[in-house]
Amino acid sequence: MHELGIVFHVIKRLEELAEEQRLAKIQSVTLEIGEVSGVVPDYLHDCWKWAIKKSEVMKEAALKIETIEAVTVCNDCEKTYKTVEFGRTCPFCQSENTVLQKGNEMNIKQIEAC
């Protein structure tokens, strides 16, 4: 379960940020997660609930998740399409000469703190 490692990484980064900015408490964190990133949101929430209890500044922080739609570009016809719906094969020209453009990333989008 790599979600636990992701949660530890996010919490560590937020604790560093809290120290740098002299934040007393982080109330919520919004993560953007790519549709084809391999991260399972339910597992991430479960790991989050367990891990935040070990951090004084994060103890009650809510986790919000926004999904980044996966989009692929076809190198042959240069059109983009929804990756999850069509996979690797371009629905316009049937080429497999395609590249994932977005939807595999994960970002810390927003932090609410005091």
Side-chain angles (χ1 to χ4, degrees):
M1 179 187 313
H2 68 287
E3 285 79 2
L4 186 57
I6 291 169
V7 166
F8 282 146
H9 178 74
V10 170
I11 288 174
K12 180 180 177 187
R13 178 63 191 118
L14 294 175
E15 287 174 334
E16 291 168 355
L17 182 67
E19 187 175 330
E20 290 168 12
Q21 300 296 318
R22 297 184 183 136
L23 302 173
K25 181 179 177 184
I26 294 178
Q27 296 164 314
S28 73
V29 178
T30 302
L31 298 180
E32 294 178 311
I33 299 176
E35 203 172 24
V36 294
S37 65
V39 176
V40 180
D42 287 343
Y43 293 167
L44 200 66
H45 277 288
D46 289 344
C47 293
W48 183 263
K49 289 176 192 173
W50 177 80
I52 62 170
K53 293 175 187 173
K54 300 177 181 340
S55 170
E56 194 59 41
V57 73
M58 304 279 303
K59 220 169 224 162
E60 298 173 17
L63 175 62
K64 301 173 186 177
I65 296 176
E66 295 180 4
T67 302
I68 299 171
E69 181 182 56
V71 175
T72 296
V73 63
C74 177
N75 290 327
D76 291 337
C77 71
E78 298 180 358
K79 293 183 180 177
T80 59
Y81 62 91
K82 295 180 180 183
T83 307
V84 172
E85 188 174 346
F86 297 104
R88 186 177 165 95
T89 304
C90 175
F92 302 105
C93 72
Q94 309 313 308
S95 172
E96 289 189 8
N97 185 15
T98 59
V99 177
L100 183 66
Q101 195 173 42
K102 68 175 188 168
N104 192 30
E105 64 271 37
M106 190 182 111
N107 306 305
I108 299 172
K109 180 182 179 183
Q110 184 177 351
I111 302 163
E112 292 180 55
C114 59

